[in-house]
Amino acid sequence: MNLKILILPGDGIGVEVTSAAVEVLHAVARKFGHTLELSEGLIGGMAIHKTGTPLPKDTLDKALAADATLMGAVGLPEFDNAAPDKRPEKGLLGLRAAMGVFANLRPVLTYPELIESSPLKNHVIQGNRHDHRARAHCRPVLRSTAWH
């Protein structure tokens, strides 16, 4: 299988996490005989620094042409008081809107001791080792972080 994947490292820890995720992608591709065509784009604070916008047109074009997008965290403290259209998160929201996605898929491990603490209905997660908190029929958007 040949996969075109756009890598959006994002900001801060996102760069480190996406780098490690790319190593995993390469290992999986080698093991299963896949071919990866990776490209990189700017989003978030780094995009603002380099282009003046949190979601450059070039990044959006690459995302729409890719089979999947692996995205790191966006956001830097220096933008905390920036105007809404100049915040790193605006890039993420713009990407979601353009791709028609509304949720990130985040598998989580469910511990029996904590089932009662979950906002999900118990019957949804009981007996499910992995709970995929959101399901969306859309282009895959893979994120490397869990807290955005």
Side-chain angles (χ1 to χ4, degrees):
M1 177 185 303
N2 183 41
L3 297 169
K4 290 176 21 179
I5 302 175
L6 174 62
I7 310 300
L8 300 176
D11 306 319
I13 192 73
V15 176
E16 293 175 48
V17 174
T18 11
S19 176
V22 167
E23 290 179 30
V24 171
L25 284 174
H26 283 300
V28 169
R30 276 191 306 275
K31 179 169 178 76
F32 294 101
H34 300 310
T35 304
L36 301 179
E37 184 181 324
L38 304 180
S39 61
E40 194 167 301
L42 294 169
I43 195 165
M46 293 307 292
I48 294 170
H49 283 306
K50 293 185 178 185
T51 70
T53 180
L55 180 60
K57 183 179 180 330
D58 179 63
T59 297
L60 183 56
D61 291 344
K62 287 178 179 179
L64 294 172
D67 296 314
T69 299
L70 174 66
M71 183 177 161
V74 295
L76 295 169
E78 69 191 80
F79 294 102
D80 285 351
N81 297 316
D85 64 323
K86 292 295 183 186
R87 292 182 57 95
E89 299 80 10
K90 187 72 172 180
L92 167 62
L93 297 174
L95 185 62
R96 282 184 183 172
M99 296 178 78
V101 298
F102 61 91
N104 295 307
L105 302 180
R106 299 176 183 166
V108 296
L109 182 62
T110 305
Y111 294 99
E113 301 83 8
L114 299 176
I115 286 177
E116 294 298 322
S117 301
S118 173
L120 294 175
K121 303 288 186 210
N122 290 344
H123 72 275
V124 172
I125 59 175
Q126 280 182 324
N128 243 343
R129 180 166 167 78
H130 293 287
D131 154 39
H132 301 279
R133 296 211 172 218
R135 294 192 186 275
H137 298 287
C138 57
R139 296 174 69 104
V141 175
L142 310 175
R143 298 220 32 226
S144 64
T145 60
W147 302 112
H148 273 109

PDB file of all heavy atoms in Angstrom, residues 6-8 40-43 47 51 54-65 69 91 95:
ATOM      1  N   LEU A   6       0.658  13.676   5.203  1.00  0.00           N
ATOM      2  CA  LEU A   6       1.153  15.013   5.517  1.00  0.00           C
ATOM      3  C   LEU A   6       1.502  15.054   6.997  1.00  0.00           C
ATOM      4  O   LEU A   6       0.702  14.673   7.843  1.00  0.00           O
ATOM      5  CB  LEU A   6       0.085  16.073   5.216  1.00  0.00           C
ATOM      6  CG  LEU A   6       0.430  17.500   5.643  1.00  0.00           C
ATOM      7  CD1 LEU A   6       1.664  18.022   4.903  1.00  0.00           C
ATOM      8  CD2 LEU A   6      -0.768  18.413   5.439  1.00  0.00           C
ATOM      9  N   ILE A   7       2.687  15.522   7.302  1.00  0.00           N
ATOM     10  CA  ILE A   7       3.137  15.673   8.682  1.00  0.00           C
ATOM     11  C   ILE A   7       3.066  17.151   9.038  1.00  0.00           C
ATOM     12  O   ILE A   7       3.656  17.990   8.370  1.00  0.00           O
ATOM     13  CB  ILE A   7       4.595  15.168   8.863  1.00  0.00           C
ATOM     14  CG1 ILE A   7       4.777  13.761   8.273  1.00  0.00           C
ATOM     15  CG2 ILE A   7       5.010  15.240  10.330  1.00  0.00           C
ATOM     16  CD1 ILE A   7       3.912  12.697   8.875  1.00  0.00           C
ATOM     17  N   LEU A   8       2.302  17.448  10.093  1.00  0.00           N
ATOM     18  CA  LEU A   8       2.196  18.813  10.608  1.00  0.00           C
ATOM     19  C   LEU A   8       2.742  18.802  12.029  1.00  0.00           C
ATOM     20  O   LEU A   8       2.008  18.543  12.985  1.00  0.00           O
ATOM     21  CB  LEU A   8       0.735  19.283  10.596  1.00  0.00           C
ATOM     22  CG  LEU A   8       0.052  19.319   9.227  1.00  0.00           C
ATOM     23  CD1 LEU A   8      -1.416  19.705   9.378  1.00  0.00           C
ATOM     24  CD2 LEU A   8       0.776  20.278   8.297  1.00  0.00           C
ATOM     25  N   GLU A  40       5.648  17.629   4.514  1.00  0.00           N
ATOM     26  CA  GLU A  40       5.510  18.383   5.758  1.00  0.00           C
ATOM     27  C   GLU A  40       4.888  19.736   5.470  1.00  0.00           C
ATOM     28  O   GLU A  40       5.082  20.305   4.399  1.00  0.00           O
ATOM     29  CB  GLU A  40       6.878  18.543   6.424  1.00  0.00           C
ATOM     30  CG  GLU A  40       6.787  19.007   7.856  1.00  0.00           C
ATOM     31  CD  GLU A  40       8.101  18.852   8.604  1.00  0.00           C
ATOM     32  OE1 GLU A  40       8.614  17.732   8.697  1.00  0.00           O
ATOM     33  OE2 GLU A  40       8.598  19.890   9.102  1.00  0.00           O
ATOM     34  N   GLY A  41       4.141  20.228   6.446  1.00  0.00           N
ATOM     35  CA  GLY A  41       3.521  21.536   6.320  1.00  0.00           C
ATOM     36  C   GLY A  41       3.582  22.300   7.625  1.00  0.00           C
ATOM     37  O   GLY A  41       3.936  21.758   8.668  1.00  0.00           O
ATOM     38  N   LEU A  42       3.212  23.551   7.540  1.00  0.00           N
ATOM     39  CA  LEU A  42       3.202  24.428   8.709  1.00  0.00           C
ATOM     40  C   LEU A  42       1.775  24.611   9.219  1.00  0.00           C
ATOM     41  O   LEU A  42       0.841  24.730   8.422  1.00  0.00           O
ATOM     42  CB  LEU A  42       3.762  25.803   8.346  1.00  0.00           C
ATOM     43  CG  LEU A  42       5.238  25.870   7.970  1.00  0.00           C
ATOM     44  CD1 LEU A  42       5.555  27.244   7.382  1.00  0.00           C
ATOM     45  CD2 LEU A  42       6.107  25.591   9.182  1.00  0.00           C
ATOM     46  N   ILE A  43       1.629  24.663  10.528  1.00  0.00           N
ATOM     47  CA  ILE A  43       0.346  24.968  11.149  1.00  0.00           C
ATOM     48  C   ILE A  43       0.630  25.561  12.524  1.00  0.00           C
ATOM     49  O   ILE A  43       1.672  25.304  13.121  1.00  0.00           O
ATOM     50  CB  ILE A  43      -0.555  23.708  11.254  1.00  0.00           C
ATOM     51  CG1 ILE A  43      -1.995  24.123  11.561  1.00  0.00           C
ATOM     52  CG2 ILE A  43      -0.003  22.711  12.262  1.00  0.00           C
ATOM     53  CD1 ILE A  43      -3.015  23.026  11.329  1.00  0.00           C
ATOM     54  N   ALA A  47       3.581  28.417  11.893  1.00  0.00           N
ATOM     55  CA  ALA A  47       3.054  28.939  10.634  1.00  0.00           C
ATOM     56  C   ALA A  47       2.851  30.445  10.721  1.00  0.00           C
ATOM     57  O   ALA A  47       3.135  31.177   9.765  1.00  0.00           O
ATOM     58  CB  ALA A  47       1.741  28.246  10.280  1.00  0.00           C
ATOM     59  N   THR A  51       4.636  32.636   8.080  1.00  0.00           N
ATOM     60  CA  THR A  51       3.777  33.084   6.976  1.00  0.00           C
ATOM     61  C   THR A  51       2.765  34.154   7.371  1.00  0.00           C
ATOM     62  O   THR A  51       2.104  34.715   6.507  1.00  0.00           O
ATOM     63  CB  THR A  51       2.991  31.898   6.373  1.00  0.00           C
ATOM     64  OG1 THR A  51       1.999  31.465   7.320  1.00  0.00           O
ATOM     65  CG2 THR A  51       3.905  30.753   5.985  1.00  0.00           C
ATOM     66  N   PRO A  54      -2.109  31.103  10.701  1.00  0.00           N
ATOM     67  CA  PRO A  54      -1.985  29.805  11.370  1.00  0.00           C
ATOM     68  C   PRO A  54      -2.234  28.598  10.462  1.00  0.00           C
ATOM     69  O   PRO A  54      -1.893  27.475  10.817  1.00  0.00           O
ATOM     70  CB  PRO A  54      -3.025  29.860  12.484  1.00  0.00           C
ATOM     71  CG  PRO A  54      -4.007  30.893  12.062  1.00  0.00           C
ATOM     72  CD  PRO A  54      -3.261  31.868  11.207  1.00  0.00           C
ATOM     73  N   LEU A  55      -2.834  28.822   9.278  1.00  0.00           N
ATOM     74  CA  LEU A  55      -3.067  27.736   8.317  1.00  0.00           C
ATOM     75  C   LEU A  55      -2.780  28.247   6.908  1.00  0.00           C
ATOM     76  O   LEU A  55      -3.675  28.715   6.198  1.00  0.00           O
ATOM     77  CB  LEU A  55      -4.501  27.204   8.412  1.00  0.00           C
ATOM     78  CG  LEU A  55      -4.860  26.056   7.456  1.00  0.00           C
ATOM     79  CD1 LEU A  55      -3.971  24.843   7.710  1.00  0.00           C
ATOM     80  CD2 LEU A  55      -6.322  25.689   7.598  1.00  0.00           C
ATOM     81  N   PRO A  56      -1.526  28.138   6.485  1.00  0.00           N
ATOM     82  CA  PRO A  56      -1.188  28.598   5.138  1.00  0.00           C
ATOM     83  C   PRO A  56      -1.911  27.779   4.063  1.00  0.00           C
ATOM     84  O   PRO A  56      -2.190  26.587   4.259  1.00  0.00           O
ATOM     85  CB  PRO A  56       0.323  28.366   5.053  1.00  0.00           C
ATOM     86  CG  PRO A  56       0.788  28.219   6.461  1.00  0.00           C
ATOM     87  CD  PRO A  56      -0.363  27.656   7.219  1.00  0.00           C
ATOM     88  N   LYS A  57      -2.201  28.409   2.941  1.00  0.00           N
ATOM     89  CA  LYS A  57      -2.892  27.733   1.836  1.00  0.00           C
ATOM     90  C   LYS A  57      -2.124  26.501   1.379  1.00  0.00           C
ATOM     91  O   LYS A  57      -2.717  25.466   1.076  1.00  0.00           O
ATOM     92  CB  LYS A  57      -3.103  28.695   0.668  1.00  0.00           C
ATOM     93  CG  LYS A  57      -3.887  28.055  -0.475  1.00  0.00           C
ATOM     94  CD  LYS A  57      -4.117  29.006  -1.611  1.00  0.00           C
ATOM     95  CE  LYS A  57      -4.886  28.418  -2.761  1.00  0.00           C
ATOM     96  NZ  LYS A  57      -4.777  27.023  -3.033  1.00  0.00           N
ATOM     97  N   ASP A  58      -0.813  26.568   1.356  1.00  0.00           N
ATOM     98  CA  ASP A  58       0.016  25.438   0.955  1.00  0.00           C
ATOM     99  C   ASP A  58      -0.240  24.222   1.851  1.00  0.00           C
ATOM    100  O   ASP A  58      -0.355  23.096   1.375  1.00  0.00           O
ATOM    101  CB  ASP A  58       1.499  25.822   0.988  1.00  0.00           C
ATOM    102  CG  ASP A  58       2.399  24.674   0.613  1.00  0.00           C
ATOM    103  OD1 ASP A  58       2.320  24.189  -0.531  1.00  0.00           O
ATOM    104  OD2 ASP A  58       3.183  24.236   1.488  1.00  0.00           O
ATOM    105  N   THR A  59      -0.349  24.459   3.153  1.00  0.00           N
ATOM    106  CA  THR A  59      -0.624  23.369   4.099  1.00  0.00           C
ATOM    107  C   THR A  59      -1.997  22.783   3.850  1.00  0.00           C
ATOM    108  O   THR A  59      -2.162  21.558   3.820  1.00  0.00           O
ATOM    109  CB  THR A  59      -0.522  23.879   5.552  1.00  0.00           C
ATOM    110  OG1 THR A  59       0.819  24.321   5.796  1.00  0.00           O
ATOM    111  CG2 THR A  59      -0.898  22.797   6.557  1.00  0.00           C
ATOM    112  N   LEU A  60      -2.982  23.631   3.653  1.00  0.00           N
ATOM    113  CA  LEU A  60      -4.338  23.157   3.399  1.00  0.00           C
ATOM    114  C   LEU A  60      -4.397  22.340   2.107  1.00  0.00           C
ATOM    115  O   LEU A  60      -4.992  21.256   2.072  1.00  0.00           O
ATOM    116  CB  LEU A  60      -5.303  24.333   3.330  1.00  0.00           C
ATOM    117  CG  LEU A  60      -6.767  23.975   3.132  1.00  0.00           C
ATOM    118  CD1 LEU A  60      -7.267  23.026   4.209  1.00  0.00           C
ATOM    119  CD2 LEU A  60      -7.604  25.241   3.106  1.00  0.00           C
ATOM    120  N   ASP A  61      -3.739  22.807   1.065  1.00  0.00           N
ATOM    121  CA  ASP A  61      -3.712  22.077  -0.206  1.00  0.00           C
ATOM    122  C   ASP A  61      -3.077  20.695  -0.026  1.00  0.00           C
ATOM    123  O   ASP A  61      -3.577  19.698  -0.548  1.00  0.00           O
ATOM    124  CB  ASP A  61      -2.950  22.861  -1.277  1.00  0.00           C
ATOM    125  CG  ASP A  61      -3.685  24.120  -1.727  1.00  0.00           C
ATOM    126  OD1 ASP A  61      -4.909  24.245  -1.456  1.00  0.00           O
ATOM    127  OD2 ASP A  61      -3.033  24.996  -2.336  1.00  0.00           O
ATOM    128  N   LYS A  62      -1.971  20.644   0.710  1.00  0.00           N
ATOM    129  CA  LYS A  62      -1.301  19.361   0.961  1.00  0.00           C
ATOM    130  C   LYS A  62      -2.199  18.420   1.769  1.00  0.00           C
ATOM    131  O   LYS A  62      -2.245  17.219   1.497  1.00  0.00           O
ATOM    132  CB  LYS A  62       0.012  19.579   1.714  1.00  0.00           C
ATOM    133  CG  LYS A  62       1.123  20.176   0.879  1.00  0.00           C
ATOM    134  CD  LYS A  62       2.361  20.382   1.742  1.00  0.00           C
ATOM    135  CE  LYS A  62       3.511  20.953   0.964  1.00  0.00           C
ATOM    136  NZ  LYS A  62       4.703  21.178   1.825  1.00  0.00           N
ATOM    137  N   ALA A  63      -2.904  18.959   2.756  1.00  0.00           N
ATOM    138  CA  ALA A  63      -3.782  18.134   3.589  1.00  0.00           C
ATOM    139  C   ALA A  63      -4.914  17.542   2.756  1.00  0.00           C
ATOM    140  O   ALA A  63      -5.263  16.362   2.920  1.00  0.00           O
ATOM    141  CB  ALA A  63      -4.342  18.949   4.751  1.00  0.00           C
ATOM    142  N   LEU A  64      -5.487  18.336   1.884  1.00  0.00           N
ATOM    143  CA  LEU A  64      -6.592  17.857   1.057  1.00  0.00           C
ATOM    144  C   LEU A  64      -6.134  16.822   0.031  1.00  0.00           C
ATOM    145  O   LEU A  64      -6.924  15.967  -0.385  1.00  0.00           O
ATOM    146  CB  LEU A  64      -7.291  19.031   0.381  1.00  0.00           C
ATOM    147  CG  LEU A  64      -8.021  19.987   1.326  1.00  0.00           C
ATOM    148  CD1 LEU A  64      -8.520  21.212   0.580  1.00  0.00           C
ATOM    149  CD2 LEU A  64      -9.156  19.275   2.051  1.00  0.00           C
ATOM    150  N   ALA A  65      -4.866  16.866  -0.344  1.00  0.00           N
ATOM    151  CA  ALA A  65      -4.333  15.908  -1.314  1.00  0.00           C
ATOM    152  C   ALA A  65      -3.798  14.634  -0.660  1.00  0.00           C
ATOM    153  O   ALA A  65      -3.582  13.634  -1.337  1.00  0.00           O
ATOM    154  CB  ALA A  65      -3.227  16.570  -2.136  1.00  0.00           C
ATOM    155  N   THR A  69      -3.323  12.849   7.617  1.00  0.00           N
ATOM    156  CA  THR A  69      -2.539  13.939   8.185  1.00  0.00           C
ATOM    157  C   THR A  69      -2.182  13.580   9.610  1.00  0.00           C
ATOM    158  O   THR A  69      -3.055  13.234  10.404  1.00  0.00           O
ATOM    159  CB  THR A  69      -3.338  15.260   8.173  1.00  0.00           C
ATOM    160  OG1 THR A  69      -3.649  15.591   6.812  1.00  0.00           O
ATOM    161  CG2 THR A  69      -2.561  16.394   8.798  1.00  0.00           C
ATOM    162  N   GLY A  91      -5.613  27.543  13.146  1.00  0.00           N
ATOM    163  CA  GLY A  91      -5.145  26.657  12.091  1.00  0.00           C
ATOM    164  C   GLY A  91      -5.795  25.284  12.188  1.00  0.00           C
ATOM    165  O   GLY A  91      -6.249  24.725  11.184  1.00  0.00           O
ATOM    166  N   LEU A  95      -8.396  23.720   9.470  1.00  0.00           N
ATOM    167  CA  LEU A  95      -8.120  22.427   8.848  1.00  0.00           C
ATOM    168  C   LEU A  95      -9.311  21.491   9.017  1.00  0.00           C
ATOM    169  O   LEU A  95      -9.748  20.843   8.068  1.00  0.00           O
ATOM    170  CB  LEU A  95      -6.860  21.815   9.463  1.00  0.00           C
ATOM    171  CG  LEU A  95      -6.361  20.512   8.857  1.00  0.00           C
ATOM    172  CD1 LEU A  95      -5.985  20.702   7.398  1.00  0.00           C
ATOM    173  CD2 LEU A  95      -5.167  20.003   9.653  1.00  0.00           C
TER     174      LEU A  95
END
